[in-house]
Amino acid sequence: MRRAKISIVGAGNVGATTAHWCAAAELGDIVLLDIPGDFADMPRGKALDLMQASPIFGFDANVVGTNDYADTAGSDVVVITAGIPRKPGMSRDDLLATNAKIMTAVCEQVKVTSPDAVVIVVSNPLDAMVQRALQVTGFPPSRVIGQAGVLDTARYRTFLAMELGVSVEDISALLMGGHGDTMVPLPSCTTVGGIPVTQLISPERLEEIVDRTRKGGAEIVGLLKTGSAYYAPAGATAQMVEAVIRDKKRLIPCAAYCDKEYGVGGYYVGVPVILGTGGVEKIIELKLTDSESAAFKNSVDAVKELVSAMAKLV
């Protein structure tokens, strides 16, 4: 039985760190691709460096760097991190025009070289970029997924664990909606060791933690000054890759294509899904409270505006 093949388009911090996590977990052989240019050899250098770590940590994975999409042919999973990063003071919306063009170019290649792959989009603004990936590849919506909910939930769980002084392993949480300021954490689906979080944290303090979660990426951008988050985004992406490669049937929040589900009408928004070899194998429809429903609708409306703005630029 052959190893799975995982191609990562974009060899910057998020892409390279995703390769690191995937290789260390022996999820498969990895192709790290970036565009030709002044730093054309960069993906080969990072791939070779990562390969040289394999004897130390004891993982078997062939990691290659390239500028040629032919090397990605027949991938089981394609992760797309390509795009310009968000800079201090820059909103996700500011990235829209440039990254939509990059996403188009990447997906035109992917649909030819890996027509049976599950595509995981990480590039921002996420909800619009994954919509663009679907439009260009023409793949079934179940095989084109956005990575957002896993990251946002991880941030939420981290802040809750810090607040309560408990293990992150004991925090179970869920967020929905768009990736960004309109995301919708669900206190009704948040527990600590099985105890509803509302019994442990006051509503006022919980809202402050929710607000910090929404601004989690911007907080790191502000601290780093010269870049954006990559450890947690890459870890979240690797968890999704693992769910697909190993058919884990993970119930996790992802940006999935919703039509009749939640009455969304044909857009990508963060919802709980079952993720396995087929990609999104099922979307879980929850009964939301009135306030959660209103917040979710507001988030969906923001995604629709973003996609509409993108349509005028591509």
Side-chain angles (χ1 to χ4, degrees):
M1 184 179 294
R2 71 174 182 87
R3 293 179 190 159
K5 184 172 183 178
I6 304 158
S7 290
I8 301 170
V9 182
N13 284 337
V14 175
T17 308
T18 299
H20 178 182
W21 295 129
C22 289
E26 291 188 316
L27 297 184
D29 291 334
I30 298 164
V31 179
L32 192 58
L33 181 145
D34 215 310
I35 59 173
D38 294 340
F39 301 97
D41 290 333
M42 179 267 289
R44 284 185 281 276
K46 290 189 176 183
L48 183 58
D49 191 14
L50 183 53
M51 276 290 290
Q52 290 169 358
S54 63
I56 300 168
F57 289 97
F59 60 81
D60 287 307
N62 189 41
V63 187
V64 299
T66 185
N67 310 123
D68 189 348
Y69 279 92
D71 293 325
T72 71
S75 297
D76 297 288
V77 176
V78 176
V79 174
I80 303 176
T81 72
I84 61 170
R86 190 162 53 140
K87 299 174 183 176
M90 179 187 289
S91 72
R92 284 187 172 87
D93 295 8
D94 293 335
L95 301 177
L96 188 58
T98 298
N99 283 356
K101 292 180 175 67
I102 293 171
M103 185 61 59
T104 299
V106 170
C107 290
E108 285 174 345
Q109 296 284 345
V110 170
K111 70 179 180 181
V112 174
T113 54
S114 297
D116 298 317
V118 171
V119 176
I120 299 174
V121 176
V122 186
S123 309
N124 279 317
L126 187 280
D127 307 292
M129 292 303 101
V130 67
Q131 191 92 19
R132 187 61 184 157
L134 177 73
Q135 294 168 350
V136 178
T137 61
F139 289 178
S142 61
R143 289 201 282 117
V144 181
I145 320 158
Q147 189 288 104
V150 176
L151 170 61
D152 295 333
T153 302
R155 286 173 171 160
Y156 187 35
R157 292 170 62 197
T158 299
F159 296 147
L160 290 171
M162 290 165 60
E163 176 72 13
L164 294 169
V166 302
S167 169
V168 291
E169 295 181 16
D170 292 329
I171 309 286
S172 179
L174 182 65
L175 298 99
M176 292 177 58
H179 181 52
D181 295 342
T182 63
M183 73 177 70
V184 186
L186 302 178
S188 64
C189 296
T190 304
T191 61
V192 183
I195 302 168
V197 72
T198 50
Q199 294 190 26
L200 301 171
I201 301 176
S202 70
E204 296 77 18
R205 180 57 183 149
L206 188 57
E207 181 54 39
E208 291 175 357
I209 293 170
V210 165
D211 187 58
R212 188 181 183 190
T213 301
R214 290 194 181 102
K215 300 173 181 175
E219 180 180 359
I220 291 174
V221 168
L223 292 168
L224 293 177
K225 309 297 185 192
T226 58
S228 55
Y230 56 94
Y231 291 120
T237 306
Q239 185 180 84
M240 292 177 65
V241 172
E242 180 187 39
V244 173
I245 294 297
R246 294 182 174 165
D247 196 24
K248 298 277 284 186
K249 312 293 188 189
R250 292 296 304 271
L251 203 168
I252 52 180
C254 301
Y257 184 82
C258 295
D259 191 5
K260 294 180 181 178
E261 298 88 355
Y262 294 98
V264 169
Y267 292 86
Y268 275 89
V269 292
V271 291
V273 308
I274 295 176
L275 194 61
T277 296
V280 174
E281 299 187 354
K282 184 178 182 180
I283 293 173
I284 307 298
E285 291 196 72
L286 302 173
K287 292 182 179 180
L288 304 177
T289 66
D290 289 346
S291 61
E292 289 168 348
S293 293
F296 182 70
K297 182 182 182 302
N298 177 62
S299 192
V300 171
D301 288 344
V303 170
K304 290 179 178 179
E305 290 178 11
L306 193 61
V307 172
S308 177
M310 179 179 69
K312 299 173 183 176
L313 298 170
V314 295

PDB file of all heavy atoms in Angstrom, residues 91-124:
ATOM      1  N   SER A  91      -6.832  44.545   7.094  1.00  0.00           N
ATOM      2  CA  SER A  91      -7.934  43.625   7.354  1.00  0.00           C
ATOM      3  C   SER A  91      -7.857  42.458   6.382  1.00  0.00           C
ATOM      4  O   SER A  91      -7.165  42.531   5.356  1.00  0.00           O
ATOM      5  CB  SER A  91      -9.280  44.336   7.190  1.00  0.00           C
ATOM      6  OG  SER A  91      -9.538  44.587   5.827  1.00  0.00           O
ATOM      7  N   ARG A  92      -8.598  41.398   6.683  1.00  0.00           N
ATOM      8  CA  ARG A  92      -8.644  40.274   5.754  1.00  0.00           C
ATOM      9  C   ARG A  92      -9.224  40.714   4.406  1.00  0.00           C
ATOM     10  O   ARG A  92      -8.828  40.221   3.353  1.00  0.00           O
ATOM     11  CB  ARG A  92      -9.469  39.126   6.345  1.00  0.00           C
ATOM     12  CG  ARG A  92      -8.741  38.337   7.423  1.00  0.00           C
ATOM     13  CD  ARG A  92      -9.541  37.107   7.843  1.00  0.00           C
ATOM     14  NE  ARG A  92      -8.762  36.265   8.743  1.00  0.00           N
ATOM     15  CZ  ARG A  92      -8.713  36.424  10.054  1.00  0.00           C
ATOM     16  NH1 ARG A  92      -9.400  37.397  10.615  1.00  0.00           N
ATOM     17  NH2 ARG A  92      -7.986  35.626  10.804  1.00  0.00           N
ATOM     18  N   ASP A  93     -10.155  41.666   4.448  1.00  0.00           N
ATOM     19  CA  ASP A  93     -10.774  42.133   3.212  1.00  0.00           C
ATOM     20  C   ASP A  93      -9.764  42.816   2.284  1.00  0.00           C
ATOM     21  O   ASP A  93      -9.897  42.755   1.055  1.00  0.00           O
ATOM     22  CB  ASP A  93     -11.917  43.105   3.524  1.00  0.00           C
ATOM     23  CG  ASP A  93     -13.058  42.428   4.264  1.00  0.00           C
ATOM     24  OD1 ASP A  93     -12.894  41.263   4.669  1.00  0.00           O
ATOM     25  OD2 ASP A  93     -14.100  43.081   4.461  1.00  0.00           O
ATOM     26  N   ASP A  94      -8.749  43.445   2.865  1.00  0.00           N
ATOM     27  CA  ASP A  94      -7.732  44.124   2.060  1.00  0.00           C
ATOM     28  C   ASP A  94      -6.949  43.143   1.188  1.00  0.00           C
ATOM     29  O   ASP A  94      -6.348  43.516   0.186  1.00  0.00           O
ATOM     30  CB  ASP A  94      -6.749  44.877   2.965  1.00  0.00           C
ATOM     31  CG  ASP A  94      -7.390  46.042   3.693  1.00  0.00           C
ATOM     32  OD1 ASP A  94      -8.394  46.569   3.180  1.00  0.00           O
ATOM     33  OD2 ASP A  94      -6.900  46.404   4.773  1.00  0.00           O
ATOM     34  N   LEU A  95      -6.946  41.899   1.596  1.00  0.00           N
ATOM     35  CA  LEU A  95      -6.197  40.877   0.866  1.00  0.00           C
ATOM     36  C   LEU A  95      -6.946  40.366  -0.353  1.00  0.00           C
ATOM     37  O   LEU A  95      -6.396  39.622  -1.166  1.00  0.00           O
ATOM     38  CB  LEU A  95      -5.941  39.676   1.790  1.00  0.00           C
ATOM     39  CG  LEU A  95      -5.169  39.902   3.077  1.00  0.00           C
ATOM     40  CD1 LEU A  95      -5.096  38.612   3.871  1.00  0.00           C
ATOM     41  CD2 LEU A  95      -3.778  40.410   2.797  1.00  0.00           C
ATOM     42  N   LEU A  96      -8.212  40.736  -0.473  1.00  0.00           N
ATOM     43  CA  LEU A  96      -9.130  40.057  -1.381  1.00  0.00           C
ATOM     44  C   LEU A  96      -8.674  40.039  -2.837  1.00  0.00           C
ATOM     45  O   LEU A  96      -8.598  38.966  -3.449  1.00  0.00           O
ATOM     46  CB  LEU A  96     -10.513  40.711  -1.271  1.00  0.00           C
ATOM     47  CG  LEU A  96     -11.655  40.017  -1.999  1.00  0.00           C
ATOM     48  CD1 LEU A  96     -11.814  38.594  -1.508  1.00  0.00           C
ATOM     49  CD2 LEU A  96     -12.957  40.787  -1.780  1.00  0.00           C
ATOM     50  N   ALA A  97      -8.374  41.186  -3.416  1.00  0.00           N
ATOM     51  CA  ALA A  97      -8.090  41.261  -4.846  1.00  0.00           C
ATOM     52  C   ALA A  97      -6.865  40.439  -5.231  1.00  0.00           C
ATOM     53  O   ALA A  97      -6.909  39.617  -6.152  1.00  0.00           O
ATOM     54  CB  ALA A  97      -7.906  42.715  -5.271  1.00  0.00           C
ATOM     55  N   THR A  98      -5.760  40.637  -4.506  1.00  0.00           N
ATOM     56  CA  THR A  98      -4.523  39.937  -4.846  1.00  0.00           C
ATOM     57  C   THR A  98      -4.659  38.433  -4.637  1.00  0.00           C
ATOM     58  O   THR A  98      -4.290  37.634  -5.511  1.00  0.00           O
ATOM     59  CB  THR A  98      -3.355  40.478  -3.997  1.00  0.00           C
ATOM     60  OG1 THR A  98      -3.169  41.854  -4.292  1.00  0.00           O
ATOM     61  CG2 THR A  98      -2.072  39.713  -4.301  1.00  0.00           C
ATOM     62  N   ASN A  99      -5.192  38.034  -3.495  1.00  0.00           N
ATOM     63  CA  ASN A  99      -5.243  36.609  -3.200  1.00  0.00           C
ATOM     64  C   ASN A  99      -6.263  35.860  -4.049  1.00  0.00           C
ATOM     65  O   ASN A  99      -6.108  34.665  -4.305  1.00  0.00           O
ATOM     66  CB  ASN A  99      -5.489  36.388  -1.708  1.00  0.00           C
ATOM     67  CG  ASN A  99      -4.220  36.609  -0.895  1.00  0.00           C
ATOM     68  OD1 ASN A  99      -3.152  36.859  -1.462  1.00  0.00           O
ATOM     69  ND2 ASN A  99      -4.315  36.525   0.413  1.00  0.00           N
ATOM     70  N   ALA A 100      -7.308  36.544  -4.507  1.00  0.00           N
ATOM     71  CA  ALA A 100      -8.263  35.895  -5.410  1.00  0.00           C
ATOM     72  C   ALA A 100      -7.587  35.523  -6.726  1.00  0.00           C
ATOM     73  O   ALA A 100      -7.839  34.444  -7.290  1.00  0.00           O
ATOM     74  CB  ALA A 100      -9.463  36.802  -5.668  1.00  0.00           C
ATOM     75  N   LYS A 101      -6.721  36.382  -7.210  1.00  0.00           N
ATOM     76  CA  LYS A 101      -5.992  36.097  -8.453  1.00  0.00           C
ATOM     77  C   LYS A 101      -5.009  34.938  -8.243  1.00  0.00           C
ATOM     78  O   LYS A 101      -4.852  34.063  -9.104  1.00  0.00           O
ATOM     79  CB  LYS A 101      -5.251  37.344  -8.931  1.00  0.00           C
ATOM     80  CG  LYS A 101      -6.175  38.466  -9.400  1.00  0.00           C
ATOM     81  CD  LYS A 101      -5.394  39.679  -9.865  1.00  0.00           C
ATOM     82  CE  LYS A 101      -6.308  40.762 -10.438  1.00  0.00           C
ATOM     83  NZ  LYS A 101      -7.194  41.370  -9.438  1.00  0.00           N
ATOM     84  N   ILE A 102      -4.340  34.936  -7.086  1.00  0.00           N
ATOM     85  CA  ILE A 102      -3.418  33.842  -6.778  1.00  0.00           C
ATOM     86  C   ILE A 102      -4.179  32.521  -6.666  1.00  0.00           C
ATOM     87  O   ILE A 102      -3.756  31.494  -7.208  1.00  0.00           O
ATOM     88  CB  ILE A 102      -2.646  34.143  -5.479  1.00  0.00           C
ATOM     89  CG1 ILE A 102      -1.709  35.339  -5.678  1.00  0.00           C
ATOM     90  CG2 ILE A 102      -1.854  32.918  -5.018  1.00  0.00           C
ATOM     91  CD1 ILE A 102      -1.060  35.851  -4.411  1.00  0.00           C
ATOM     92  N   MET A 103      -5.332  32.541  -5.980  1.00  0.00           N
ATOM     93  CA  MET A 103      -6.130  31.333  -5.816  1.00  0.00           C
ATOM     94  C   MET A 103      -6.582  30.791  -7.169  1.00  0.00           C
ATOM     95  O   MET A 103      -6.585  29.578  -7.400  1.00  0.00           O
ATOM     96  CB  MET A 103      -7.337  31.617  -4.919  1.00  0.00           C
ATOM     97  CG  MET A 103      -8.174  30.400  -4.572  1.00  0.00           C
ATOM     98  SD  MET A 103      -7.267  29.112  -3.665  1.00  0.00           S
ATOM     99  CE  MET A 103      -6.750  30.031  -2.200  1.00  0.00           C
ATOM    100  N   THR A 104      -6.965  31.681  -8.069  1.00  0.00           N
ATOM    101  CA  THR A 104      -7.387  31.263  -9.406  1.00  0.00           C
ATOM    102  C   THR A 104      -6.263  30.534 -10.128  1.00  0.00           C
ATOM    103  O   THR A 104      -6.464  29.452 -10.693  1.00  0.00           O
ATOM    104  CB  THR A 104      -7.833  32.489 -10.228  1.00  0.00           C
ATOM    105  OG1 THR A 104      -8.942  33.115  -9.578  1.00  0.00           O
ATOM    106  CG2 THR A 104      -8.237  32.086 -11.637  1.00  0.00           C
ATOM    107  N   ALA A 105      -5.063  31.113 -10.107  1.00  0.00           N
ATOM    108  CA  ALA A 105      -3.919  30.506 -10.793  1.00  0.00           C
ATOM    109  C   ALA A 105      -3.575  29.139 -10.205  1.00  0.00           C
ATOM    110  O   ALA A 105      -3.292  28.182 -10.940  1.00  0.00           O
ATOM    111  CB  ALA A 105      -2.719  31.443 -10.716  1.00  0.00           C
ATOM    112  N   VAL A 106      -3.606  29.037  -8.874  1.00  0.00           N
ATOM    113  CA  VAL A 106      -3.277  27.764  -8.216  1.00  0.00           C
ATOM    114  C   VAL A 106      -4.298  26.696  -8.577  1.00  0.00           C
ATOM    115  O   VAL A 106      -3.943  25.565  -8.954  1.00  0.00           O
ATOM    116  CB  VAL A 106      -3.217  27.954  -6.682  1.00  0.00           C
ATOM    117  CG1 VAL A 106      -3.129  26.590  -5.979  1.00  0.00           C
ATOM    118  CG2 VAL A 106      -2.030  28.825  -6.295  1.00  0.00           C
ATOM    119  N   CYS A 107      -5.575  27.033  -8.483  1.00  0.00           N
ATOM    120  CA  CYS A 107      -6.627  26.032  -8.683  1.00  0.00           C
ATOM    121  C   CYS A 107      -6.742  25.577 -10.128  1.00  0.00           C
ATOM    122  O   CYS A 107      -7.149  24.441 -10.400  1.00  0.00           O
ATOM    123  CB  CYS A 107      -7.960  26.554  -8.166  1.00  0.00           C
ATOM    124  SG  CYS A 107      -8.004  26.680  -6.367  1.00  0.00           S
ATOM    125  N   GLU A 108      -6.361  26.435 -11.075  1.00  0.00           N
ATOM    126  CA  GLU A 108      -6.329  26.011 -12.467  1.00  0.00           C
ATOM    127  C   GLU A 108      -5.301  24.897 -12.668  1.00  0.00           C
ATOM    128  O   GLU A 108      -5.503  24.001 -13.494  1.00  0.00           O
ATOM    129  CB  GLU A 108      -6.018  27.210 -13.369  1.00  0.00           C
ATOM    130  CG  GLU A 108      -7.212  28.150 -13.534  1.00  0.00           C
ATOM    131  CD  GLU A 108      -6.884  29.405 -14.306  1.00  0.00           C
ATOM    132  OE1 GLU A 108      -5.676  29.696 -14.479  1.00  0.00           O
ATOM    133  OE2 GLU A 108      -7.825  30.107 -14.732  1.00  0.00           O
ATOM    134  N   GLN A 109      -4.222  24.943 -11.907  1.00  0.00           N
ATOM    135  CA  GLN A 109      -3.209  23.882 -11.967  1.00  0.00           C
ATOM    136  C   GLN A 109      -3.673  22.629 -11.226  1.00  0.00           C
ATOM    137  O   GLN A 109      -3.537  21.510 -11.712  1.00  0.00           O
ATOM    138  CB  GLN A 109      -1.894  24.393 -11.360  1.00  0.00           C
ATOM    139  CG  GLN A 109      -1.237  25.535 -12.104  1.00  0.00           C
ATOM    140  CD  GLN A 109      -0.534  25.102 -13.376  1.00  0.00           C
ATOM    141  OE1 GLN A 109      -0.292  23.917 -13.598  1.00  0.00           O
ATOM    142  NE2 GLN A 109      -0.212  26.062 -14.228  1.00  0.00           N
ATOM    143  N   VAL A 110      -4.242  22.824 -10.053  1.00  0.00           N
ATOM    144  CA  VAL A 110      -4.637  21.687  -9.212  1.00  0.00           C
ATOM    145  C   VAL A 110      -5.686  20.822  -9.895  1.00  0.00           C
ATOM    146  O   VAL A 110      -5.634  19.590  -9.835  1.00  0.00           O
ATOM    147  CB  VAL A 110      -5.160  22.185  -7.842  1.00  0.00           C
ATOM    148  CG1 VAL A 110      -5.802  21.049  -7.057  1.00  0.00           C
ATOM    149  CG2 VAL A 110      -4.017  22.812  -7.041  1.00  0.00           C
ATOM    150  N   LYS A 111      -6.648  21.446 -10.577  1.00  0.00           N
ATOM    151  CA  LYS A 111      -7.722  20.658 -11.187  1.00  0.00           C
ATOM    152  C   LYS A 111      -7.205  19.765 -12.306  1.00  0.00           C
ATOM    153  O   LYS A 111      -7.822  18.739 -12.621  1.00  0.00           O
ATOM    154  CB  LYS A 111      -8.839  21.571 -11.698  1.00  0.00           C
ATOM    155  CG  LYS A 111      -8.499  22.418 -12.904  1.00  0.00           C
ATOM    156  CD  LYS A 111      -9.711  23.248 -13.321  1.00  0.00           C
ATOM    157  CE  LYS A 111      -9.413  24.111 -14.544  1.00  0.00           C
ATOM    158  NZ  LYS A 111     -10.592  24.927 -14.927  1.00  0.00           N
ATOM    159  N   VAL A 112      -6.047  20.127 -12.880  1.00  0.00           N
ATOM    160  CA  VAL A 112      -5.439  19.309 -13.939  1.00  0.00           C
ATOM    161  C   VAL A 112      -4.536  18.235 -13.355  1.00  0.00           C
ATOM    162  O   VAL A 112      -4.587  17.071 -13.760  1.00  0.00           O
ATOM    163  CB  VAL A 112      -4.628  20.204 -14.907  1.00  0.00           C
ATOM    164  CG1 VAL A 112      -3.871  19.351 -15.922  1.00  0.00           C
ATOM    165  CG2 VAL A 112      -5.560  21.181 -15.615  1.00  0.00           C
ATOM    166  N   THR A 113      -3.725  18.597 -12.368  1.00  0.00           N
ATOM    167  CA  THR A 113      -2.719  17.663 -11.857  1.00  0.00           C
ATOM    168  C   THR A 113      -3.249  16.705 -10.796  1.00  0.00           C
ATOM    169  O   THR A 113      -2.752  15.589 -10.661  1.00  0.00           O
ATOM    170  CB  THR A 113      -1.513  18.437 -11.278  1.00  0.00           C
ATOM    171  OG1 THR A 113      -1.995  19.384 -10.310  1.00  0.00           O
ATOM    172  CG2 THR A 113      -0.763  19.176 -12.375  1.00  0.00           C
ATOM    173  N   SER A 114      -4.251  17.119 -10.026  1.00  0.00           N
ATOM    174  CA  SER A 114      -4.788  16.265  -8.950  1.00  0.00           C
ATOM    175  C   SER A 114      -6.314  16.327  -8.946  1.00  0.00           C
ATOM    176  O   SER A 114      -6.934  16.836  -8.008  1.00  0.00           O
ATOM    177  CB  SER A 114      -4.224  16.699  -7.591  1.00  0.00           C
ATOM    178  OG  SER A 114      -2.827  16.543  -7.537  1.00  0.00           O
ATOM    179  N   PRO A 115      -6.947  15.787  -9.988  1.00  0.00           N
ATOM    180  CA  PRO A 115      -8.401  15.924 -10.130  1.00  0.00           C
ATOM    181  C   PRO A 115      -9.225  15.189  -9.087  1.00  0.00           C
ATOM    182  O   PRO A 115     -10.422  15.448  -8.955  1.00  0.00           O
ATOM    183  CB  PRO A 115      -8.666  15.354 -11.529  1.00  0.00           C
ATOM    184  CG  PRO A 115      -7.524  14.414 -11.778  1.00  0.00           C
ATOM    185  CD  PRO A 115      -6.347  15.046 -11.114  1.00  0.00           C
ATOM    186  N   ASP A 116      -8.591  14.282  -8.340  1.00  0.00           N
ATOM    187  CA  ASP A 116      -9.334  13.508  -7.336  1.00  0.00           C
ATOM    188  C   ASP A 116      -8.998  13.920  -5.908  1.00  0.00           C
ATOM    189  O   ASP A 116      -9.411  13.271  -4.952  1.00  0.00           O
ATOM    190  CB  ASP A 116      -9.047  12.004  -7.510  1.00  0.00           C
ATOM    191  CG  ASP A 116      -9.498  11.483  -8.862  1.00  0.00           C
ATOM    192  OD1 ASP A 116     -10.608  11.859  -9.293  1.00  0.00           O
ATOM    193  OD2 ASP A 116      -8.735  10.718  -9.484  1.00  0.00           O
ATOM    194  N   ALA A 117      -8.258  15.002  -5.754  1.00  0.00           N
ATOM    195  CA  ALA A 117      -7.792  15.414  -4.429  1.00  0.00           C
ATOM    196  C   ALA A 117      -8.890  16.065  -3.597  1.00  0.00           C
ATOM    197  O   ALA A 117      -9.849  16.616  -4.120  1.00  0.00           O
ATOM    198  CB  ALA A 117      -6.617  16.384  -4.565  1.00  0.00           C
ATOM    199  N   VAL A 118      -8.706  16.003  -2.288  1.00  0.00           N
ATOM    200  CA  VAL A 118      -9.438  16.856  -1.361  1.00  0.00           C
ATOM    201  C   VAL A 118      -8.604  18.126  -1.196  1.00  0.00           C
ATOM    202  O   VAL A 118      -7.398  18.051  -0.917  1.00  0.00           O
ATOM    203  CB  VAL A 118      -9.654  16.169   0.001  1.00  0.00           C
ATOM    204  CG1 VAL A 118     -10.228  17.160   1.021  1.00  0.00           C
ATOM    205  CG2 VAL A 118     -10.573  14.966  -0.146  1.00  0.00           C
ATOM    206  N   VAL A 119      -9.217  19.271  -1.401  1.00  0.00           N
ATOM    207  CA  VAL A 119      -8.508  20.552  -1.334  1.00  0.00           C
ATOM    208  C   VAL A 119      -8.856  21.254  -0.027  1.00  0.00           C
ATOM    209  O   VAL A 119     -10.027  21.433   0.303  1.00  0.00           O
ATOM    210  CB  VAL A 119      -8.887  21.451  -2.529  1.00  0.00           C
ATOM    211  CG1 VAL A 119      -8.223  22.826  -2.399  1.00  0.00           C
ATOM    212  CG2 VAL A 119      -8.490  20.790  -3.840  1.00  0.00           C
ATOM    213  N   ILE A 120      -7.821  21.632   0.724  1.00  0.00           N
ATOM    214  CA  ILE A 120      -7.997  22.366   1.975  1.00  0.00           C
ATOM    215  C   ILE A 120      -7.405  23.760   1.787  1.00  0.00           C
ATOM    216  O   ILE A 120      -6.197  23.910   1.585  1.00  0.00           O
ATOM    217  CB  ILE A 120      -7.325  21.648   3.156  1.00  0.00           C
ATOM    218  CG1 ILE A 120      -7.936  20.257   3.356  1.00  0.00           C
ATOM    219  CG2 ILE A 120      -7.451  22.475   4.437  1.00  0.00           C
ATOM    220  CD1 ILE A 120      -7.229  19.410   4.404  1.00  0.00           C
ATOM    221  N   VAL A 121      -8.258  24.771   1.841  1.00  0.00           N
ATOM    222  CA  VAL A 121      -7.829  26.150   1.618  1.00  0.00           C
ATOM    223  C   VAL A 121      -7.547  26.816   2.965  1.00  0.00           C
ATOM    224  O   VAL A 121      -8.357  26.738   3.890  1.00  0.00           O
ATOM    225  CB  VAL A 121      -8.915  26.940   0.858  1.00  0.00           C
ATOM    226  CG1 VAL A 121      -8.507  28.404   0.707  1.00  0.00           C
ATOM    227  CG2 VAL A 121      -9.160  26.311  -0.514  1.00  0.00           C
ATOM    228  N   VAL A 122      -6.400  27.477   3.042  1.00  0.00           N
ATOM    229  CA  VAL A 122      -5.989  28.175   4.266  1.00  0.00           C
ATOM    230  C   VAL A 122      -5.835  29.682   4.019  1.00  0.00           C
ATOM    231  O   VAL A 122      -5.893  30.477   4.941  1.00  0.00           O
ATOM    232  CB  VAL A 122      -4.663  27.586   4.808  1.00  0.00           C
ATOM    233  CG1 VAL A 122      -4.293  28.191   6.153  1.00  0.00           C
ATOM    234  CG2 VAL A 122      -4.742  26.064   4.917  1.00  0.00           C
ATOM    235  N   SER A 123      -5.665  30.067   2.766  1.00  0.00           N
ATOM    236  CA  SER A 123      -5.401  31.466   2.404  1.00  0.00           C
ATOM    237  C   SER A 123      -6.551  32.378   2.825  1.00  0.00           C
ATOM    238  O   SER A 123      -7.715  31.987   2.801  1.00  0.00           O
ATOM    239  CB  SER A 123      -5.189  31.566   0.893  1.00  0.00           C
ATOM    240  OG  SER A 123      -4.231  30.627   0.433  1.00  0.00           O
ATOM    241  N   ASN A 124      -6.209  33.614   3.162  1.00  0.00           N
ATOM    242  CA  ASN A 124      -7.194  34.617   3.570  1.00  0.00           C
ATOM    243  C   ASN A 124      -7.474  35.628   2.461  1.00  0.00           C
ATOM    244  O   ASN A 124      -6.635  35.839   1.596  1.00  0.00           O
ATOM    245  CB  ASN A 124      -6.688  35.359   4.816  1.00  0.00           C
ATOM    246  CG  ASN A 124      -6.940  34.572   6.083  1.00  0.00           C
ATOM    247  OD1 ASN A 124      -7.996  33.998   6.262  1.00  0.00           O
ATOM    248  ND2 ASN A 124      -5.950  34.548   6.964  1.00  0.00           N
TER     249      ASN A 124
END
